[in-house]
Amino acid sequence: MQFLFFRQWEALRDYAHENGVSILGDLPIYVALDSADVWASPEWFQLDENNVPTGVAGVPPDYFSVDGQLWGNPLYDYDAMRHDGYGWWIKRIGGVSKLYDAIRIDHFRGFESYWAVPYGDTTAKAWALGQRARHGTLVGILSGTYPELRFIAEDLGYPTREVRELLDDSGFPA
């Protein structure tokens, strides 16, 4: 099935290019806990020795939701990724670059900071601000590794000064 899909996708993409049409794809900032990404590379996520998340993604309570939003995705271990040169992200973008001409990075603000909700909680009422380090280096590595790929940053979330600076530094349209 995958072979047939990719063969048909390549034909469609070639046809689109022949007619001056570019294809825009969406890249969620997070991956699912039961994804092949987490299964194959648990070292890049905040997991305990049994591969159970120590915290998960979400959004704290606000005027939209009194319980917050509990997404449940495992959080990245950006420190480990940085020491590796962000190889996991480079491979991830390499995969989508075969499908799309431009990608919109969903919740781009997650490269600046994120919210960590204790694993097992049923709401996002208890949360902590996760890593506060800016990941401008990661953004620069991705755009430098794939100069032919256009990036678009989704700017949802709390537009802090740091997030606005990262967006400005990236040069990505929002």
Side-chain angles (χ1 to χ4, degrees):
M1 292 290 284
Q2 286 181 341
F3 171 79
L4 291 176
F5 168 79
F6 284 110
R7 190 166 74 182
Q8 291 172 349
W9 181 260
E10 286 178 19
L12 176 63
R13 187 174 180 195
D14 290 345
Y15 177 78
H17 290 167
E18 289 167 8
N19 289 280
V21 175
S22 296
I23 299 175
L24 172 66
D26 193 59
L27 182 74
I29 189 87
Y30 292 116
V31 298
L33 178 59
D34 62 355
S35 68
D37 292 296
V38 177
W39 174 80
S41 303
E43 66 274 18
W44 307 129
F45 299 89
Q46 295 180 31
L47 307 173
D48 68 14
E49 64 279 351
N50 296 313
N51 289 339
V52 173
T54 56
V56 294
V59 177
D62 59 17
Y63 51 86
F64 294 114
S65 173
V66 296
D67 288 336
Q69 298 176 33
L70 181 60
W71 299 338
N73 307 82
L75 300 169
Y76 298 113
D77 184 342
Y78 280 118
D79 288 335
M81 289 179 158
R82 183 175 43 254
H83 291 308
D84 176 61
Y86 297 106
W88 182 88
W89 275 100
I90 291 169
K91 290 176 197 168
R92 185 176 189 208
I93 299 300
V96 298
S97 73
K98 295 174 185 171
L99 301 173
Y100 310 119
D101 304 303
I103 59 167
R104 181 187 77 101
I105 301 174
D106 183 48
H107 292 318
F108 178 81
R109 70 134 16 260
F111 286 139
E112 191 278 320
S113 60
Y114 55 85
W115 291 274
V117 179
Y119 181 71
D121 280 13
T122 57
T123 71
K125 286 183 177 180
W127 60 276
L129 186 61
Q131 190 160 342
R132 196 68 180 150
R134 292 177 40 162
H135 295 289
T137 303
L138 169 57
V139 171
I141 287 171
L142 296 178
S143 59
T145 303
Y146 299 101
E148 72 289 349
L149 187 63
R150 293 184 311 263
F151 293 89
I152 300 168
E154 179 203 39
D155 63 350
L156 287 180
Y158 301 104
T160 64
R161 179 181 51 79
E162 294 86 0
V163 172
R164 285 191 299 273
E165 287 175 2
L166 182 58
L167 183 58
D168 288 347
D169 290 349
S170 75
F172 298 166

